[in-house]
Amino acid sequence: MPTILYRNDQDVSPEDVMKIAAYAEHVSTQCYDVFADDGSRSRSETLSRRAQDVSDSLDFGDDPHFSPETTQKVLSLRDAVWGMCFDAFGERGHRGKSMNLLRMGQDVEDVLDKIIIVQLSQEEKEEAEADWAHESQFYSEIEAGTPNIIRRDDTGSRAGA
C-alpha cells in the first residue's frame, strides 16, 4: 500500500475547493453504483455518505487548507467513483462515465497533487515498473512509426490497417 504524505505547505485556492465540492455534488446527484438485473439503478448509502462527508468537511475560507481527514475522505470518494460508479447510461444496460465526470475527476487529481505526496515502497516501485514494461510492449509499434491500427471511414467500413 503506498504511503501518503500530507503537504504542510498546500497551494490550494478557493477555486480548488469548489472543484472538489462540484465533484461531490455531481456524484451525490448523478452517479449510481448499484445495478439490478431489471435495468434499474440506485446509489448506495456508502456512496451517498462519502459524497456528503466530503461536502461537509470542505474549508470554503479565503485561505483554505485540507486536513489529513478531509484529504482521506476525498481519496475515498475518488476511489469509489473510479470503481463501479457511473453517470452515463445507454441502451441495453450500457454504463459509462460522462466527459463531465471525467473532467471533474481530473480536477480532483490536480487538487490532490497539491495536497499529498504518494510514496511507493521498493516492492511497489518494482511492481509498477514491471507493469509498465508489460504494457509498453503494446505501444512499441506505434513508437516505431508502424502503428497497427484499423481505421474506419465515415460509413463504418474498414479503410485499412
Side-chain angles (χ1 to χ4, degrees):
M1 191 74 174
T3 302
I4 296 176
L5 304 174
Y6 302 94
R7 295 179 191 253
N8 291 326
D9 184 22
Q10 299 175 352
D11 184 25
V12 180
S13 68
E15 291 80 23
D16 291 328
V17 176
M18 288 306 298
K19 289 175 183 177
I20 301 291
Y23 181 74
E25 175 68 20
H26 182 84
V27 170
S28 70
T29 60
Q30 303 297 316
C31 293
Y32 299 91
D33 63 339
V34 177
F35 305 95
D37 291 336
D38 66 0
S40 64
R41 59 187 180 253
S42 61
R43 192 170 302 105
S44 70
E45 180 62 34
T46 302
L47 183 61
S48 296
R49 185 175 48 252
R50 285 180 180 164
Q52 188 61 51
D53 287 348
V54 167
S55 294
D56 290 346
S57 65
L58 293 176
D59 174 4
F60 289 99
D62 290 337
D63 189 23
H65 185 82
F66 283 82
S67 69
E69 295 79 18
T70 299
T71 303
Q72 189 57 46
K73 290 174 184 177
V74 173
L75 288 167
S76 179
L77 179 62
R78 184 221 39 200
D79 291 347
V81 172
W82 273 1
M84 294 295 293
C85 183
F86 303 98
D87 69 337
F89 305 95
E91 296 178 17
R92 296 181 294 208
H94 168 76
R95 297 177 274 202
K97 294 183 186 336
S98 68
M99 287 306 293
N100 194 28
L101 179 60
L102 294 174
R103 273 195 285 301
M104 284 190 273
Q106 184 57 55
D107 288 345
V108 168
E109 289 303 311
D110 293 345
V111 174
L112 288 172
D113 284 345
K114 293 179 177 184
I115 59 179
I116 64 171
I117 300 169
V118 177
Q119 290 187 336
L120 301 177
S121 67
Q122 188 59 35
E123 181 180 295
E124 289 167 326
K125 285 180 188 176
E126 291 169 3
E127 184 178 323
E129 288 170 357
D131 286 346
W132 176 248
H134 173 74
E135 292 296 322
S136 67
Q137 74 184 356
F138 300 110
Y139 298 103
S140 62
E141 289 182 16
I142 293 172
E143 291 173 2
T146 57
N148 187 12
I149 299 171
I150 298 173
R151 295 182 186 91
R152 297 185 186 274
D153 61 15
D154 290 338
T155 63
S157 63
R158 291 183 120 175

